Amino acid sequence: MRNLHTDEIIKNIKEMCIEANYKLASDVEERVRGAYDQEATALGKQILGQLAENLDIASEDSIPICQDTGMAIIFIKLGQDVHIEGMDLEDAVNEGIRQGYEEGYLRKSVVGDPLIRINTKDNTPGIIHYEIVAGDRVEITVAPKGFGSENMSRVYMLKPSDGVEGVKRAVLETVKLAGPNACPPIVVGVGIGGSFEKCAVLSKKALTRSMDTSSPIEHIRELEDELLLEINQLGIGPGGFGGKVTALGVNIETYPTHIAGLPVAINICCHVNRHVSRVL
Amino acid sequence: MDQYINTPLTMDKVKGLQAGDYVYITGTIYTARDAAHQRMYQAMEEGKEIPFDLKDSILYYLGPTPAREGQVIGSAGPTTSSRMDKYTPLLLDNGLKGMIGKGKRSKEVVESMVKNKAVYFAAVGGAGALLSKKIKASKVIAYDDLGTEAIRELYVEDFPVIVVIDSKGNNLYEIVLQSS
Ligand code: SF4
């Protein structure tokens, strides 16, 4: 049994909230900058040039990359040999978010009751996904998520007979409907299988996976490549003003499912696809 | 075509703007997003004053991050416009001439834009750090309690936007999809 104090967790989550909003992970940054050479339209190139410049300004002048600094989505892989001491883990996570959004000059974008809609003024609560794993470490991923793209995400409960063609249709339809709203070029996270809620969580998790990695499953890897190619033939382009680069990457996660179902979730993320991971 | 315009956005300027034009705006513009729109709409329905003069004005759909010491404003890019669609026709009927946001608009908004001769611009989504540099002054003029959603008066210089929907109803988002 290893002891881990919640002060450590608070400090790290605070730092990760700030880091994520000022500097993109290298896989995302490389693709945003690299898109310029792949784009064919003059306006598309101009937009991509601005996005690259925006990243420079964000880190040089300490201005968040985007004003929607997101709702804090937190994935925690808790080793079963870790003993958490100090305060409640959930309170510690939210305290980290609170401190990060305050000290990092980040926008407070969370309302308490979803219908009465009063801002909680500290960007809490976050959304926490726990997983209990082997070992005595805690792996934390902080992924602040903007809602321009979140609002364009969808879940489909397909039939088994819809097969891989049905999955492709669902992804392409979602990307088309998102169009300019999701701040293209986008990153597409797809969850296939599981149940209604499982595929949604998988699609979010897919967004936190580096685009430098592919699925370890061969036919899924091929599907990722095919979908990226087909999305980039839709013509939406940077900013939705037309062009070749509509998506920077497609990441797919899968899980076994029921004999009667084929759930598919498509979580759309903008080019500001933020995620930072640390192992404590 | 590249164009440079100064606010107020009078009718003659509106008529010279076409879908696809790259426009640099200089002058005073106002910010409002979801909650501020809802309040203004309610006030207007009740026949009350709203916090600024709508005539020939430009609204920017923006909720910035907090400014650091020495900065005019924090990150300041556009939010998705369609959430404002419900409230927009009434604002257009009362003199609003330009809107800056991102993403699609409803049929009702486009119809009202054609009727009232107004322009819808998009700024680049996710370029809030870059866009903040074009904002030279910012002050909250109403609804302070809404925090980031308060109404701000901004002075912008060469603020870069693209005409998506012009006063004739031409729509750049649709044009590019048809041609691909
Ligand atoms: S969708 Fe992404 S880039 Fe666009 S405004 Fe939201 S967080 Fe920013």
Side-chain angles (χ1 to χ4, degrees):
Chain A
M1 197 57 93
R2 174 176 161 251
N3 285 335
L4 180 66
H5 199 278
T6 44
D7 285 352
E8 263 311 286
I9 294 175
I10 295 172
K11 178 179 146 281
N12 278 282
I13 289 193
K14 174 184 94 175
E15 291 170 0
M16 290 157 89
C17 287
I18 297 173
E19 185 184 327
N21 274 297
Y22 286 86
K23 179 127 185 66
L24 289 179
S26 61
D27 64 306
V28 185
E29 175 158 1
E30 273 166 28
R31 277 169 179 73
V32 171
R33 292 187 190 276
Y36 187 90
D37 288 332
Q38 286 161 33
E39 184 49 65
T41 68
L43 184 52
K45 271 191 185 300
Q46 192 169 359
I47 303 301
L48 291 166
Q50 288 187 359
L51 295 185
E53 197 186 338
N54 185 62
L55 293 178
D56 295 337
I57 295 174
S59 58
E60 282 162 22
D61 294 354
S62 294
I63 304 172
I65 301 164
C66 181
Q67 78 291 334
D68 184 355
T69 50
M71 192 164 188
I73 316 288
I74 318 269
F75 288 92
I76 297 182
K77 282 189 186 167
L78 181 63
Q80 61 187 19
D81 296 331
V82 180
H83 172 244
I84 305 280
E85 57 182 12
M87 61 205 286
D88 283 356
L89 178 56
E90 182 141 344
D91 291 344
V93 171
N94 282 318
E95 183 56 30
I97 295 171
R98 187 175 290 120
Q99 292 183 11
Y101 275 72
E102 191 53 42
E103 290 176 33
Y105 291 83
L106 304 177
R107 199 179 78 181
K108 322 300 182 289
S109 314
V110 175
V111 293
D113 182 293
L115 293 177
I116 297 175
R117 308 196 71 81
I118 307 218
N119 198 306
T120 61
K121 299 220 153 71
D122 61 5
N123 220 53
T124 68
I127 293 172
I128 313 171
H129 301 289
Y130 296 102
E131 213 179 310
I132 312 283
V133 298
D136 63 358
R137 301 281 142 182
V138 179
E139 185 185 328
I140 303 177
T141 299
V142 175
K145 185 65 169 70
F147 262 53
S149 52
E150 192 73 356
N151 282 340
M152 306 317 288
S153 304
R154 301 177 117 204
V155 172
Y156 292 75
M157 298 307 284
L158 299 181
K159 295 184 200 63
S161 61
D162 291 327
V164 68
E165 286 310 316
V167 173
K168 280 175 139 186
R169 268 199 305 277
V171 173
L172 291 169
E173 178 177 78
T174 302
V175 171
K176 262 194 233 168
L177 282 172
N181 291 30
C183 295
I186 57 175
V187 180
V188 185
V190 184
I192 308 176
S195 52
F196 183 78
E197 85 288 2
K198 178 73 179 178
C199 69
V201 176
L202 286 176
S203 68
K204 175 76 76 215
K205 213 173 168 184
L207 287 175
T208 67
R209 201 182 85 205
S210 165
M211 286 182 279
D212 293 341
T213 65
S214 311
S215 170
I217 308 163
E218 197 184 331
H219 69 277
I220 298 297
R221 189 159 60 233
E222 284 168 16
L223 185 57
E224 289 176 340
D225 294 344
E226 280 169 34
L227 277 170
L228 181 61
L229 216 68
E230 289 185 31
I231 288 169
N232 284 338
Q233 282 163 6
L234 292 175
I236 296 167
F241 308 123
K244 271 168 113 169
V245 187
T246 299
L248 301 172
V250 177
N251 280 355
I252 304 178
E253 294 288 320
T254 64
Y255 196 80
T257 189
H258 189 279
I259 48 173
L262 177 53
V264 180
I266 299 108
N267 198 185
I268 305 275
C269 192
C270 49
H271 53 90
V272 191
N273 180 19
R274 293 157 283 204
H275 52 85
V276 178
S277 297
R278 287 186 189 175
V279 178
L280 306 184
Chain B
M1 188 167 81
D2 281 10
Q3 299 216 42
Y4 291 80
I5 59 166
N6 288 293
T7 61
L9 188 56
T10 48
M11 188 66 87
D12 52 317
K13 292 175 200 162
V14 167
K15 285 188 177 157
L17 296 170
Q18 273 183 7
D21 284 352
Y22 206 95
V23 181
Y24 296 90
I25 300 173
T26 296
T28 299
I29 64 175
Y30 299 92
T31 73
R33 46 171 294 152
D34 308 52
H37 268 78
Q38 198 187 355
R39 269 198 206 175
M40 285 196 290
Y41 188 81
Q42 208 171 350
M44 289 169 78
E45 279 200 317
E46 290 166 3
K48 294 190 187 132
E49 289 274 298
I50 65 158
F52 62 95
D53 187 7
L54 276 172
K55 188 178 177 337
D56 298 338
S57 66
I58 297 180
L59 258 189
Y60 183 18
Y61 303 143
L62 162 70
T65 60
R68 283 174 195 271
E69 207 63 34
Q71 287 176 348
V72 172
I73 197 166
S75 197
T79 193
T80 312
S81 310
S82 56
R83 294 193 315 273
M84 270 45 85
D85 284 353
K86 185 177 154 192
Y87 311 110
T88 300
L90 183 65
L91 298 176
L92 290 168
D93 285 342
N94 283 278
L96 176 69
K97 278 282 173 253
M99 298 156 284
I100 306 171
K102 66 169 167 97
K104 302 171 200 173
R105 305 307 306 255
S106 69
K107 208 169 110 251
E108 291 73 22
V109 170
V110 179
E111 280 168 9
S112 175
M113 285 177 57
V114 172
K115 182 179 93 184
N116 290 300
K117 298 269 163 284
V119 189
Y120 171 51
F121 305 98
V124 178
L130 173 86
L131 292 169
S132 77
K133 296 281 173 191
K134 313 290 176 187
I135 299 171
K136 304 300 172 183
S138 161
K139 71 166 184 260
V140 172
I141 58 164
Y143 309 159
D144 204 4
D145 60 301
L146 293 179
T148 184
E149 295 207 58
I151 294 187
R152 288 174 172 77
E153 183 183 287
L154 306 180
Y155 186 83
V156 297
E157 264 174 31
D158 291 336
F159 192 86
V161 293
I162 290 140
V163 178
V164 172
I165 306 173
D166 62 27
S167 58
K168 297 199 184 74
N170 300 310
N171 187 331
L172 178 65
Y173 292 146
E174 286 166 9
I175 296 167
V176 297
L177 290 186
Q178 279 153 13
S179 61
S180 82

